[in-house]
Every structure is written in structure tokens, then in C-alpha cells.
């Protein structure tokens, strides 16, 4: 880990360390709410005095167990998440007093029905279109979540508490955004692998004040590294943007080889990255309306149409001076797989840069094949540079 302060290790290790912190939280008698998706308005959970924690599983350990209940031909993220609940192997799931899920893709919403037999699961009815009716429906769903949390934890969620936590979460978003924007620098002072580790680590860090302080220090340090030209990355390294499905379970086999072979990932459009963090919640609006607008506007492929994702991508390609786009599609994720047709067109025709789509799952069986394809892709990017 070149030039990185020791704080990086803390983020990098946050998922593992978070287990102990989660236990401490439970030992103090505080509540924990497991969430699966970027659409969950976590401000409401904080306003209930509880701690949101990400439950998306990122390895295939429990998939064989999950496949006893779920079809094999299902997205690995869904199978792994359910498998961890089924086997009680994820401490975050174990410590969650409540789980919140949304009606996003078909696989996830049907899995939640089974999950509801194991854990107290509250489902939010997420509309799949962005219009006035959807906004009204989503506001009602946020109100229902408030009622659920109030009853479950015997608390009152006031407008004041919502406003306070909107500010609190916006603060975190601003700092995380400043952090991932370091990828705009040429050369970036930090690898994409390291950026991803920090963004992922934030999902498992409960003390947000401390997290913000550490991040601010790290940003200052990395800006200094860039200014003094002391970074580990060559200014000629092909600059890659990753888009598509969440990559928590596959970044080791996608991002690592890309960077070991001389490329650098400078932007992540996926959840955990820009998709979720780019837009703040409007602090001047009525809290529930502001939350509904922000979350309904997330450009995920479960929305129809999903033009926001195309717009974001075009802007990112310019802002981050992207040389090539890698789209990750998890096996059996129909919504991202279908969108990849238009994403390819935008990248290769409108922006005239190379694009590659990788369909993969959580196993290691295609590791070698992905590496070969990444090598060829980087070769293509290098040859484009010279034409
Ligand atoms: S906001 S990306 S976290 S839905 S589970 S859609 S990969 S088939 S995760 Fe997602 Fe929320 Fe959207 Fe983000 Fe496909 Fe798998 Fe479904 Fe998935």
C-alpha cells in the first residue's frame, strides 16, 4: 500500500473489525438494522437511534446452502445474502434486530419473502418508474418505515431528528465524494483497489465522526502526494471506469488484475461508489419529501427507464478522463444485462472509447479467463492511445 497513512488499513479491515464493534453496540443495548440496498433511506434508521449495517454478502461460502431453497440460476448476490441469513454465519445479519428490503429486482423481492421466515423483515414497495405518482408512493413507504421503526424500537422519530440525520449523512457523503474524486487527478495518488476498499469500509464503520476525521486526513495526505508527484501510479496508466452491478463479491478478480496489469481504476459508478453518493438530500425541503426525491433518483437498472445512469456515465467519462469502461454484470442479473446494450452504445459510439462487459459470479472458476480478457482490453486501450 504505497504512501497510504495507517488509517487506510483501518478502512480496509473495517468489515472484519466491524463485527466486534457490532457486538459492542448490541452489548450497550443499542439497535441494529440490516440493509441490502442503496435505496434504503438510512437517515430514518439513524433517526430511530439505530445503526444501519450493510448485509450484502460478498463471497460464495454459503451459496450451496442457499441453493437448497433458491434456484441455481439466480444472482450470486441474492443467493449469498440469503445463505448467510440461513446459516447464521454473518454476524451483521445475526445482530440485526430488523432487516429492511425493497422491491427492487424480482430475485431480491422473492428472496425477501423467504428471509421474512427467518428474520423480522420490513419490505418497502419501491416504485420502478420515476414520476409524480411514484414520488407520492415512495413518501408513503418512508412514512411506513418510520412507523415500523417507532413501533419496533419504541421511539419517536420527529421531524427534527430526521433533519439532524439528513445533515449527518450528507456530511459523510460530501467527504466520501471528495475522497473518490481523487480519481480525477492525473495520475491518481491512490489505486482503484484502495479507493474501493475505503468506500466499502465506510459501510461497516459505525463511528461516522471518527470516519470523517480519518478520511479528511487521508484526503489531505493524498493531495500532498499528488502535488509532490510521489504517487505510485504512472501518468500513462490507462484510466478505467467500472459500472454495472455491485462488485463487492468480485472486485478482487476484476479490479486487482486490471491494476496489476498496468491499468488504473479511477471511477466506480456502481453502488458503494458514485451511484449512491453523488446526490445529497436537500436540507431545505420537508424531510420526507427530500428523502423520497433523493432515493427515488438513484439511477439503478431496476428503474424503467433509467436514463439517469446514462447521463452520469457520460459526465464521468469526461470528468475522470476515462480511456475505457468495464461493465460488470452478475450472472442472472437481467436488468443490468439488458441495460448493457445501451451502455455499450453510449460508451463506444457517443464517447468513442472501448467498452467490455464481464458476466461473472462469486466463484473463482473464471479468474484466469477474466485476467486474459483484462489483459487484452488493456492492450486495446494502449494501442488506441497511439492512434
Ligand atoms: S440500488 S444495484 S443495491 S438494487 S440483486 S439488481 S445484481 S439481480 S443489487 Fe442493487 Fe439496490 Fe440497484 Fe444498488 Fe441485479 Fe442481483 Fe438484483 Fe442486484
Amino acid at each position: 500500500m504505497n504512501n497510504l497513512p495507517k488509517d487506510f488499513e483501518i478502512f480496509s479491515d473495517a468489515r472484519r473489525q466491524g463485527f466486534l464493534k457490532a457486538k459492542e453496540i448490541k452489548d450497550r443495548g443499542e439497535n441494529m438494522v440490516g440493509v441490502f440496498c442503496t435505496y434504503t433511506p438510512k437517515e430514518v434508521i439513524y433517526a430511530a437511534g439505530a445503526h444501519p449495517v450493510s448485509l450484502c454478502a460478498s463471497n460464495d461460502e454459503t451459496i450451496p446452502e442457499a441453493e437448497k431453497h433458491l434456484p441455481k440460476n439466480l444472482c450470486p448476490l441474492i443467493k449469498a445474502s440469503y445463505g448467510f441469513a440461513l446459516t447464521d454465519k454473518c454476524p451483521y445479519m445475526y445482530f440485526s434486530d430488523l432487516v429492511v428490503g425493497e422491491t427492487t429486482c424480482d430475485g431480491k423481492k422473492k428472496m425477501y419473502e423467504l428471509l421474512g421466515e427467518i428474520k423480522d423483515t420490513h419490505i418497502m414497495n419501491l416504485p420502478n418508474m420515476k414520476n409524480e405518482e411514484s414520488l407520492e408512493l415512495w413518501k408513503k413507504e418512508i412514512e411506513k418505515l418510520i412507523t415500523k421503526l417507532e413501533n419496533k424500537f419504541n421511539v419517536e422519530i420527529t421531524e427534527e431528528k430526521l433533519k439532524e440525520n439528513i445533515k449527518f449523512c450528507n456530511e459523510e457523503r460530501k467527504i466520501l465524494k471528495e475522497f473518490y474524486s481523487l480519481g480525477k487527478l492525473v495520475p491518481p495518488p491512490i489505486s482503484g483497489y484502495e479507493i474501493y476498499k475505503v468506500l466499502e469500509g465506510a459501510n461497516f464503520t459505525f463511528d461516522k465522526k471518527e470516519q470523517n476525521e480519518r478520511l479528511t486526513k487521508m484526503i489531505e495526505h493524498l493531495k500532498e502526494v499528488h502535488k509532490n508527484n510521489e504517487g505510485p501510479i504512472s501518468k500513462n496508466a490507462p484510466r478505467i471506469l467500472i459500472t454495472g452491478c455491485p462488485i463487492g463479491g468480485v472486485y478482487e478478480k476484476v479490479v486487482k488484475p486490471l491494476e496489476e496489469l498496468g491499468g488504473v481504476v479511477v471511477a466506480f459508478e456502481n453502488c458503494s461508489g458514485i451511484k449512491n453518493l453523488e446526490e445529497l438530500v436537500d436540507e431545505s425541503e420537508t424531510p420526507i419529501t427530500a428523502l423520497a426525491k433523493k432515493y427515488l433518483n438513484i439511477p439503478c437498472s431496476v428503474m424503467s427507464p433509467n436514463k439517469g445512469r446514462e447521463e452520469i456515465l457520460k459526465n464521468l467519462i469526461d470528468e475522470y478522463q476515462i480511456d475505457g469502461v468495464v461493465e460488470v454484470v452478475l450472472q442472472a442479473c437481467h436488468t443490468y444485462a439488458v441495460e448493457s446494450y445501451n451502455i455499450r452504445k453510449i460508451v463506444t459510439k457517443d464517447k468513442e472509447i472501448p467498452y467490455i462487459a464481464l458476466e461473472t459470479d462469486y466463484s473463482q472458476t473464471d479468474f484466469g479467463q477474466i485476467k486474459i480478457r483484462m489483459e487484452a482490453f488493456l492492450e486495446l486501450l494502449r494501442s488506441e492511445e497511439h492512434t
Side-chain angles (χ1 to χ4, degrees):
M1 305 299 166
N2 293 302
N3 291 310
L4 286 173
K6 68 173 182 336
D7 285 343
F8 173 77
E9 297 297 335
I10 294 169
F11 280 101
S12 178
D13 205 27
R15 185 190 275 262
R16 204 167 54 86
Q17 289 298 330
F19 296 160
L20 302 173
K21 301 271 183 232
K23 184 169 181 309
E24 282 167 26
I25 285 172
K26 293 308 299 167
D27 288 345
R28 291 201 300 267
E30 293 168 24
N31 297 309
M32 195 159 283
V33 177
V35 302
F36 282 103
C37 177
T38 306
Y39 282 105
T40 314
K42 58 184 183 170
E43 290 83 349
V44 178
I45 297 172
Y46 282 123
H51 302 267
V53 65
S54 173
L55 293 178
C56 278
S58 57
N59 68 53
D60 61 354
E61 189 188 334
T62 62
I63 286 182
E65 276 306 304
E67 284 177 348
K68 291 181 183 166
H69 297 192
L70 297 170
K72 278 195 169 34
N73 184 24
L74 185 67
C75 161
L77 188 154
I78 302 173
K79 286 190 288 187
S81 302
Y82 180 69
F84 274 99
L86 198 61
T87 55
D88 244 347
K89 279 190 178 163
C90 170
Y92 294 122
M93 178 65 89
Y94 175 81
F95 287 130
S96 291
D97 301 279
L98 175 73
V99 171
V100 177
E102 294 76 17
T103 52
T104 52
C105 61
D106 287 351
K108 249 185 181 173
K109 69 188 175 206
K110 297 309 286 181
M111 179 272 277
Y112 293 146
E113 291 176 19
L114 299 183
L115 185 66
E117 294 171 16
I118 309 170
K119 289 289 272 193
D120 187 359
T121 304
H122 176 82
I123 302 298
M124 298 182 77
N125 182 6
L126 176 75
N128 294 150
M129 286 186 170
K130 292 174 188 174
N131 53 34
E132 275 308 308
E133 292 80 25
S134 296
L135 185 65
E136 288 312 307
L137 175 83
W138 192 230
K139 272 159 62 177
K140 287 205 175 73
E141 288 300 309
I142 295 178
E143 283 164 6
K144 282 194 215 161
L145 176 64
I146 289 175
T147 308
K148 172 75 189 184
L149 291 164
E150 286 182 328
N151 293 339
K152 175 88 186 171
F153 300 136
N154 199 19
V155 291
E156 192 192 352
I157 299 179
T158 61
E159 189 165 320
E160 269 321 294
K161 283 189 193 164
L162 286 174
K163 282 186 174 166
E164 204 180 288
N165 284 289
I166 285 174
K167 269 205 175 79
F168 173 72
C169 292
N170 273 347
E171 205 45 46
E172 182 193 12
R173 281 188 192 104
K174 283 184 216 161
I175 296 176
L176 285 170
K177 189 172 163 176
E178 198 184 344
F179 176 74
Y180 69 64
S181 297
L182 291 168
K184 286 183 189 169
L185 298 173
V186 183
I190 180 169
S191 70
Y193 183 81
E194 290 158 341
I195 289 181
Y196 187 81
K197 283 295 237 185
V198 171
L199 293 175
E200 191 200 34
N203 287 330
F204 301 97
T205 307
F206 297 101
D207 187 337
K208 294 295 175 186
K209 194 167 166 281
E210 191 184 299
Q211 170 187 308
N212 290 348
E213 283 166 8
R214 285 188 198 287
L215 270 173
T216 307
K217 269 202 307 197
M218 214 188 301
I219 293 166
E220 278 167 18
H221 170 82
L222 288 165
K223 281 185 176 165
E224 209 46 37
V225 167
H226 175 72
K227 204 170 96 195
N228 299 332
N229 216 2
E230 291 168 348
I233 296 157
S234 155
K235 70 176 183 351
N236 299 321
R239 300 166 64 83
I240 317 276
L241 177 145
I242 306 257
T243 184
C245 296
I247 57 164
V250 299
Y251 70 92
E252 289 280 349
K253 65 178 175 181
V254 178
V255 178
K256 235 184 182 171
L258 264 173
E259 298 198 320
E260 281 171 359
L261 293 163
V264 59
V265 177
V266 294
F268 295 91
E269 184 269 336
N270 327 59
C271 281
S272 278
I274 293 165
K275 194 195 289 304
N276 162 31
L277 299 166
E278 194 68 4
E279 187 180 327
L280 301 179
V281 180
D282 186 348
E283 294 178 21
S284 63
E285 276 250 34
T286 323
I288 293 179
T289 305
L291 287 169
K293 282 185 182 167
K294 142 81 191 168
Y295 283 94
L296 196 60
N297 211 21
I298 291 170
C300 170
S301 63
V302 296
M303 289 292 160
S304 176
N306 185 29
K307 290 292 167 197
R309 180 175 174 219
E310 297 176 6
E311 289 314 308
I312 285 187
L313 263 179
K314 285 193 234 170
N315 292 339
L316 293 176
I317 288 172
D318 294 338
E319 281 174 28
Y320 285 75
Q321 302 177 54
I322 299 299
D323 296 312
V325 170
V326 175
E327 175 149 46
V328 176
V329 178
L330 292 177
Q331 205 177 62
C333 175
H334 302 315
T335 56
Y336 276 102
V338 171
E339 278 195 2
S340 73
Y341 175 73
N342 275 338
I343 297 298
R344 177 191 292 271
K345 263 202 318 201
I346 281 162
V347 175
T348 57
K349 299 272 185 299
D350 295 5
K351 290 295 170 188
E352 296 181 325
I353 58 171
Y355 162 99
I356 189 171
L358 293 175
E359 191 185 353
T360 186
D361 61 14
Y362 282 8
S363 73
Q364 287 304 310
T365 50
D366 57 356
F367 182 82
Q369 197 200 8
I370 288 180
K371 202 169 168 188
I372 292 169
R373 292 189 68 201
M374 292 296 98
E375 204 163 1
F377 188 62
L378 286 170
E379 272 313 304
L380 174 68
L381 297 186
R382 289 192 184 102
S383 65
E384 295 266 313
E385 252 177 44
H386 298 296
T387 52

